[in-house]
Amino acid sequence: MVEWKISDALVPYDEAVDFMENHVAKMASGDADELIWLLEHPPLYTAGTSAKIEDLTDPERFPVYQSKRGGQYTYHGPGQRVIYVMLDLNKRGRDVRAFVKLLEDWVIETLAEFGVRGEIRDGRVGVWVQRGDKPLTVTGEMAEDKVAAIGIRLRKWISFHGISINVDPDLDHFNGIVPCGITEHGVTSLVDLGLPVTEKDVDVALMSTFNRVVDGNS
């Protein structure tokens, strides 16, 4: 059974990490169920295990937290739905690649609920959308922007950290970092794509698609 937790107030990053650490420990001992936590953070940057210091271009702009999740630098802030996934891969198959693919598919199906076609790209972490309203790239390809990021950590085959979907954050806040180390492409949000979507709308879509995509493939 997967429990859902939704926080309406902004959650400090340290508090969120402490909560996840404690909950994963309880799951490992059989004292807690799997949990999906939907929340927002105040504006901040996190550095994953592959982060390069030169990608932190404005270190004084927001607090910077060292994170033990995979990936590089990421921004979190109001208007971005963060989805922390505390799921037991002992029960879902001990396959990290398959699990990340499952999370990507979950995001893609969630975006499809709003008529947005999310795609994944080899060598580029996250979920991307093509931008026909922007100039072609220097190589003549259609411009692409990132709409969602994924970075997880495993302990005893239990996952934590997870996903962030840009609903309506201040996109200028991403300018203090090189998001996920990628300079050739931009960042977008559902509202930036012209959709009058709220985080509550995204929550409903996440919950409905989870049962179909994640639990249905476990």
Side-chain angles (χ1 to χ4, degrees):
M1 180 177 178
V2 178
E3 178 186 354
W4 290 80
K5 174 183 171 71
I6 302 176
S7 296
D8 293 325
L10 299 179
V11 179
Y13 187 74
D14 282 343
E15 289 184 17
V17 173
D18 287 345
F19 177 90
M20 286 190 287
E21 295 270 1
N22 290 331
H23 191 83
V24 166
K26 290 177 182 179
M27 287 178 61
S29 62
D31 296 323
D33 292 326
E34 293 181 305
L35 176 67
I36 306 290
W37 187 11
L38 309 178
L39 69 149
E40 287 178 293
H41 288 305
L44 58 92
Y45 298 128
T46 65
T49 54
S50 301
K52 301 175 183 177
I53 190 60
E54 60 267 25
D55 288 342
L56 180 61
T57 57
D58 191 354
E60 303 302 322
R61 187 166 192 179
F62 298 124
V64 181
Y65 294 88
Q66 298 298 315
S67 174
K68 295 180 181 179
R69 61 159 175 81
Q72 302 187 42
Y73 279 104
T74 299
Y75 166 77
H76 293 311
Q80 181 191 72
R81 180 48 93 210
V82 175
I83 307 110
Y84 285 140
V85 291
M86 286 154 271
L87 299 175
D88 190 351
L89 272 66
N90 293 292
K91 303 174 182 177
R92 296 173 176 273
R94 294 185 177 187
D95 188 327
V96 178
R97 289 178 180 267
F99 181 64
V100 172
K101 176 65 165 55
L102 203 59
L103 296 181
E104 291 171 340
D105 289 345
W106 182 26
V107 172
I108 289 170
E109 288 297 316
T110 298
L111 296 177
E113 295 287 297
F114 305 104
V116 175
R117 181 177 177 177
E119 300 177 334
I120 57 174
R121 294 287 182 265
D122 289 340
R124 278 196 261 140
V125 180
V127 178
W128 300 80
V129 293
Q130 293 189 330
R131 299 300 300 269
D133 57 333
K134 288 189 172 183
L136 298 179
T137 66
V138 293
T139 59
E141 299 173 325
M142 186 177 291
E144 295 182 339
D145 287 340
K146 175 181 278 190
V147 70
I150 297 174
I152 64 167
R153 186 182 178 197
L154 297 177
R155 177 177 297 153
K156 296 183 178 178
W157 289 101
I158 298 173
S159 70
F160 54 122
H161 297 278
I163 303 164
S164 60
I165 298 176
N166 297 330
V167 182
D168 189 23
D170 186 337
L171 296 179
D172 179 67
H173 288 179
F174 286 87
N175 292 336
I177 57 172
V178 177
C180 298
I182 298 170
T183 59
E184 300 85 2
H185 303 277
V187 178
T188 189
S189 69
L190 294 178
V191 171
D192 182 54
L193 292 170
L195 299 168
V197 176
T198 68
E199 288 186 320
K200 297 301 182 185
D201 297 326
V202 172
D203 293 349
V204 171
L206 284 164
M207 286 186 267
S208 65
T209 55
F210 180 86
N211 292 329
R212 183 171 71 247
V213 178
V214 182
D215 265 1
N217 287 279
S218 298

